Amino acid sequence: MAEYRISEHAVRLEAEPGVWLDGTLSVPEPVSGVVLFAHGSGSSRFSPRNQYVARVMQQAGLATLLMDLLTPGEEEAERWTRHLRFDIELLARRLVGATRWLARVPGLGGQPLGLIGSSTGAGAALVAAGRMPEVFQAVVSRGGRPDLAGAVLPAVRAPTLLIVGGDDTQVIALNQEALEALRTHKRLEIVPGATHLFEEPGTLEQAARLARDWFLQHLATAARERPSGEAPP
């Protein structure tokens, strides 16, 4: 496996007018694609699980952007009211804003782009992918709620992988419903013995490898098919 030199940058981006969010942008050299992370409720860019999955991506030559989808003030209010964690429209708008910001980052704007979401973040990721069908080349849901994308699911064009723990029975059923609604290249992978957070030994590693391989396959395909010098829309 190739060795990559990875540079890490603390970033602050305007995801919506007047809404500034913090993130961590990690860029390997050379880079062969970019993956934007959408974490779920109660999580953040500092989640050890998200950071582990991001490192697996980086070690395969993929840049990653881990970002908070809520402002510090919203996070504090959310601790008491829990009123934003299922606001999929709001989370999706901020992912769209982050995507536009990524397009302006030197060296990354022309790279193929993927989205990975966990928990409610998966629903927001799929809504963003459905709203920007020409922009994203692959989507992964890890222990996610893709069903929360609802009526937007048939609009998703990016190849989509749904990863669910084998012992996460209720979420398996919700993912199967979402899989039926998707009208793109799609697959459901069930990790045996894993619960919702993939806390069991070896299960997060398996989920991360599945996600990495999906992105490597489909982002590389998108890069080959794009005319030389052409940036994504």
Side-chain angles (χ1 to χ4, degrees), residues 126-127 129-130 139 141 146-147 149-150 152-162 174-188 214:
L126 283 160
V127 169
V139 180
S141 165
D147 57 295
V152 181
L153 285 169
V156 175
R157 293 291 172 264
T160 300
L161 173 66
L162 310 180
L174 295 171
N175 274 256
Q176 288 170 332
E177 292 176 10
L179 190 74
E180 292 178 5
L182 286 164
R183 297 291 179 265
T184 186
H185 177 59
K186 57 191 177 181
R187 193 164 84 217
L188 173 64
W214 189 261

Side-chain angles (χ1 to χ4, degrees), residues 65-146:
L65 175 60
L66 278 74
M67 57 178 286
D68 294 333
L69 296 178
L70 302 179
T71 67
E74 290 169 340
E75 288 279 9
E76 180 63 25
E78 178 74 355
R79 290 177 56 196
W80 305 103
T81 64
R82 302 192 176 190
H83 66 300
L84 295 176
R85 62 184 57 199
F86 286 98
D87 192 338
I88 303 302
E89 285 292 330
L90 177 138
L91 302 179
R93 285 200 311 271
R94 293 182 178 182
L95 287 173
V96 168
T99 300
R100 291 174 175 153
W101 178 84
L102 274 170
R104 299 191 296 273
V105 175
L108 297 184
Q111 293 290 337
L113 183 61
L115 268 171
I116 181 168
S118 57
S119 189
T120 55
L126 283 160
V127 169
R131 299 273 166 78
M132 305 176 82
E134 303 304 319
V135 171
F136 296 102
Q137 281 75 52
V139 180
V140 172
S141 165
R142 173 181 59 83
R145 290 288 309 277

Side-chain angles (χ1 to χ4, degrees), residues 17-81:
V19 177
W20 292 85
L21 302 176
D22 295 314
T24 303
L25 177 65
S26 301
V27 184
E29 177 63 41
V31 63
S32 57
V34 185
V35 177
L36 172 58
F37 279 65
H39 62 74
S41 55
S43 186
S44 77
R45 70 186 189 279
F46 298 118
S47 157
R49 287 182 295 276
N50 285 337
Q51 290 186 342
Y52 172 81
V53 175
R55 285 195 298 273
V56 171
M57 304 294 175
Q58 295 155 20
Q59 290 161 5
L62 299 172
T64 62
L65 175 60
L66 278 74
M67 57 178 286
D68 294 333
L69 296 178
L70 302 179
T71 67
E74 290 169 340
E75 288 279 9
E76 180 63 25
E78 178 74 355
R79 290 177 56 196
W80 305 103
T81 64

